[in-house]
Amino acid sequence: MTSLDWSVLVATIGFIVIYGAWKSRGVATMESYVRGDSSLKWPTIGLSIMATQASAITFLSTPGQAYEDGMRFVQFYFGLPLAMVVIAAVFVPIYYRLKVYTAYEYLEHRFDHRVRYLGAVLFLIQRGLAAGITIYAPSIILSSILGWPLDWLIVAIGLLVIAYTVSGGTRAVSQTQKQQMIVMMGGMIVAAVVIVWRLPENVSMPAAVGLAGALDRMNVVSFDLDLDNRYNFWSGMTGGFFLALSYFGTDQSQVQRYLSGRSVTESRLGLLFNGMFKVPMQFLILFIGVLVFVFHLFQQPPLFFNQAALERVEASSHAPALHELQARYETAFATQRAAAEAWVAAREDAAVEAVAREKLRTAAAATKEIRGEAKTLVATALPGTETKDADYVFVSFVLRYLPAGLVGLLIAVILCAAMSSTASELNALGSTSTIDLYKRAFGKKGAPANDRRDLLVSKGFTVLWGLVAIGFASFASLVDNLIEAVNILGSIFYGTVLGLFVVAFFLKRVTATPVLLAALVAQAVVAALFFASELGFLWFNVVGCAIVVVLSLLFEAARSFGGGGGLAIRGE
């Protein structure tokens, strides 16, 4: 990176951190630290909700996924707007009426402390691991691309986030996320403009979309009902709906964002804002990946996008095999580029276009096959190295083709996303550990509240979870696709947690022990499905929630039929 890039990067990150610290000065109570004094307006809430979900993984991995697999991942979000309506109508008023700090407090109001503990512990496990991935994701990519030491990057990002999260709590997180979201979306729009500008003069936007479609990258919607297919309309509207309902309705990292609103109306508007703009935002990010794919039909991409790994192969005894692949790849790419140019010239004539399309698809398949051989060579030369390189696609384009200054801005986008998502997670982990575990287990009933002690304990837990996340990130390995990894991890737990809340909200006759047993069974079943089946991960949310609901009713009926049978405990 140039000195201008460094200046833009440091100035952007520095401004956001200093601004957040200034806006959150004077935080001295648990109310301020956890709920930001319930003072936020709906635009800040909406942007904070979006920024919490839009981690660095979103901006690193999503364009790469579209580059490899097309637009179909956008279907994952189709159920989200409906989930926002349900949460705004049902969840938010209950949380406000009970004046809870965390979502899991409600479970004790409705059932008992055991169900509250279960909900909180499932959240802590899932979100604690996810926090490590959100730190690891930008660190491994930036380390490989820029040559920075991985461990130092992980520690630097983690400590920076811990510092401003602990200093200002929810208010600091929400205020910085507003600025970070503006930087993130501004940077992505600039990237899209630059990609279009760098396309050949004879390739218009319609031609670019046509090229992407000819090579199966504009696969936005599929109505095929296939349970093994991760992304189609039906999985998005069902599994995606349940996942969004659980994530935004029961995950404390999100609940804490809208509970900081000054009123029920402000919180509802923030959620609906997210429902309106989340799908278009993801469409844009995926479409940027498709544009990078089209750009690389005319400008030769790397044989393997993880350049650091490729350089290590070059320095090994496998260098001759790599050189042979490089020569074949250059020849295959020249054929592919000629086929792409021929398709653009022929696209107005249907008969000629059909022939040109087949030649283009054949040429593209040949280059893809050689890239596959390169991945095999990397795996042979560097055992243990991850050969899935889609997560390197976008940042590789940024560093190679964006002008000075914009490179620094896009790296700032990645770091902002990492900081915003991780800060929300650590803030929620700290508050949940304090309120749902520490205060519930060790607080003496009837004893006066000690706000200063609780604040210090919450900050201590935030630091502890931050260190856990840094530690997990330091020992993590790059998975097939980072954004899928985070969503798969969430889907393993979210269905069960959502089931607890669905029973609590809508099945008033079910008491504590039946729902507790049902949740334990559901979690075991989902874990078994994850390890032993090919079921698409979005369906885990539906399965987990359904098992909790059905078994709760059956266990409650058995309890009632048996006159209690030792199962009767407090419940509504």
Side-chain angles (χ1 to χ4, degrees):
M1 296 202 306
T2 66
S3 57
L4 178 59
D5 291 316
W6 280 107
S7 299
V8 171
L9 173 60
V10 173
T12 303
I13 300 297
F15 167 76
I16 289 172
V17 173
I18 293 170
Y19 177 82
W22 177 72
K23 291 289 287 186
S24 60
R25 66 195 186 282
V27 172
T29 66
M30 273 298 281
E31 175 69 20
S32 297
Y33 188 74
V34 176
R35 295 183 60 170
D37 285 323
S38 300
S39 60
L40 300 183
K41 296 181 180 180
W42 69 263
T44 301
I45 295 170
L47 290 173
S48 182
I49 289 171
M50 293 178 72
T52 295
Q53 189 181 25
S55 68
I57 297 169
T58 301
F59 298 96
L60 285 169
S61 186
T62 306
Q65 180 151 337
Y67 185 97
E68 295 281 0
D69 194 41
M71 295 288 295
R72 70 191 188 109
F73 182 67
V74 75
Q75 297 168 108
F76 170 85
Y77 297 96
F78 281 3
L80 186 146
L82 180 58
M84 296 302 98
V85 173
V86 173
I87 294 168
V90 179
F91 290 53
V92 173
I94 294 175
Y95 290 154
Y96 267 86
R97 186 174 72 248
L98 295 175
K99 298 181 179 179
V100 296
Y101 281 104
T102 74
Y104 318 108
E105 283 185 85
Y106 169 70
L107 294 177
E108 182 168 6
H109 282 280
R110 173 62 178 84
F111 298 116
D112 69 2
H113 66 284
R114 297 174 304 165
V115 181
R116 177 182 181 177
Y117 284 154
L118 178 62
V121 167
L122 290 177
F123 162 73
L124 291 172
I125 294 172
Q126 184 273 328
R127 189 50 55 191
L129 296 177
I133 295 176
T134 55
I135 292 175
Y136 174 75
S139 301
I140 185 66
I141 303 298
L142 294 177
S143 173
S144 297
I145 296 295
L146 302 176
W148 300 345
L150 175 60
D151 290 339
W152 283 105
L153 265 173
I154 290 172
V155 172
I157 292 173
L159 292 181
L160 181 62
V161 174
I162 290 172
Y164 79 77
T165 304
V166 168
S167 67
T170 290
R171 197 189 305 172
V173 171
S174 296
Q175 291 294 345
T176 53
Q177 283 180 326
K178 182 170 65 174
Q179 314 305 322
Q180 287 164 334
M181 197 65 205
I182 293 170
V183 171
M184 286 187 277
M185 290 313 301
M188 296 306 286
I189 291 171
V190 168
V193 171
V194 171
I195 297 169
V196 173
W197 172 63
R198 294 201 63 130
L199 289 173
E201 290 184 6
N202 63 326
V203 180
S204 62
M205 182 58 75
V209 172
L211 277 167
L215 293 171
D216 301 324
R217 294 308 190 275
M218 293 304 296
N219 48 349
V220 179
V221 182
S222 170
F223 290 100
D224 295 335
L225 182 57
D226 180 1
L227 296 181
D228 294 332
N229 184 357
R230 289 180 172 180
Y231 309 117
N232 55 53
F233 177 84
W234 309 110
S235 66
M237 290 300 296
T238 52
F241 167 75
F242 278 88
L243 177 59
L245 198 61
S246 183
Y247 174 56
F248 292 99
T250 71
D251 189 303
Q252 183 61 19
S253 66
Q254 284 291 359
V255 173
Q256 200 158 318
R257 304 282 70 77
Y258 54 81
L259 286 185
S260 59
R262 60 173 54 183
S263 67
V264 171
T265 299
E266 297 286 349
S267 294
R268 282 173 161 170
L269 288 173
L271 284 164
L272 295 177
F273 175 90
N274 180 58
M276 289 177 61
F277 290 101
K278 181 62 179 179
V279 176
M281 184 186 89
Q282 291 300 134
F283 185 95
L284 171 64
I285 296 171
L286 284 164
F287 190 63
I288 287 172
V290 170
L291 288 176
V292 172
F293 173 80
V294 173
F295 172 81
H296 278 309
L297 292 176
F298 302 96
Q299 187 72 37
Q300 183 172 323
L303 177 62
F304 188 68
F305 280 99
N306 185 346
Q307 200 61 35
L310 205 60
E311 290 173 0
R312 289 167 60 197
V313 176
E314 177 76 37
S316 73
S317 60
H318 295 271
L322 178 62
H323 295 159
E324 187 268 335
L325 278 176
Q326 288 276 21
R328 287 172 53 205
Y329 184 60
E330 290 174 6
T331 302
F333 174 77
T335 302
Q336 177 185 274
R337 180 170 55 195
E341 292 170 348
W343 184 92
V344 171
R347 70 190 187 93
E348 300 298 335
D349 187 322
V352 180
E353 186 275 337
V355 175
R357 176 189 293 251
E358 284 307 310
K359 290 182 178 180
L360 175 59
R361 292 175 67 88
T362 300
T367 58
K368 183 178 181 180
E369 182 178 348
I370 295 172
R371 275 195 13 97
E373 293 179 36
K375 292 177 181 181
T376 302
L377 179 63
V378 170
T380 302
L382 307 172
T385 299
E386 177 54 57
T387 59
K388 301 285 187 178
D389 62 344
D391 294 318
Y392 295 84
V393 168
F394 181 63
V395 74
S396 175
F397 172 84
V398 167
L399 292 172
R400 290 162 70 98
Y401 298 107
L402 261 60
L406 291 183
V407 173
L409 177 63
L410 267 295
I411 299 299
V413 166
I414 294 168
L415 292 177
C416 280
M419 292 161 55
S420 68
S421 184
T422 307
S424 292
E425 291 169 334
L426 297 185
N427 190 216
L429 289 164
S431 60
T432 300
S433 299
T434 302
I435 295 167
D436 293 301
L437 299 184
Y438 172 79
K439 288 185 67 176
R440 182 61 185 79
F442 300 105
K444 294 181 180 179
K445 197 170 184 179
N450 188 330
D451 203 55
R452 178 176 175 79
R453 181 200 62 198
D454 293 343
L455 179 61
L456 290 174
V457 169
S458 186
K459 289 184 175 183
F461 273 121
T462 301
V463 173
L464 176 62
W465 279 109
L467 295 177
V468 168
I470 291 173
F472 180 74
S474 298
F475 291 98
S477 296
L478 189 63
V479 292
D480 286 1
N481 184 271
L482 293 167
I483 195 164
E484 284 192 342
V486 169
N487 288 314
I488 291 171
L489 182 60
S491 294
I492 293 172
F493 295 96
Y494 279 148
T496 302
V497 176
L498 178 60
L500 292 174
F501 282 85
V502 168
V503 173
F505 289 146
F506 302 111
L507 304 178
K508 295 299 184 182
R509 290 192 174 187
V510 176
T511 52
T513 297
V515 76
L516 181 68
L517 294 174
L520 293 173
V521 172
Q523 193 58 65
V525 170
V526 171
L529 287 173
F530 170 70
F531 287 109
S533 80
E534 297 297 322
L535 185 67
F537 72 85
L538 282 177
W539 295 106
F540 294 164
N541 301 280
V542 183
V543 171
C545 183
I547 290 176
V548 174
V549 171
V550 173
L551 289 186
S552 293
L553 290 171
L554 292 176
F555 290 159
E556 182 62 33
R559 184 196 67 83
S560 300
F561 181 75
L567 286 175
I569 64 171
R570 180 171 68 86
E572 294 180 4

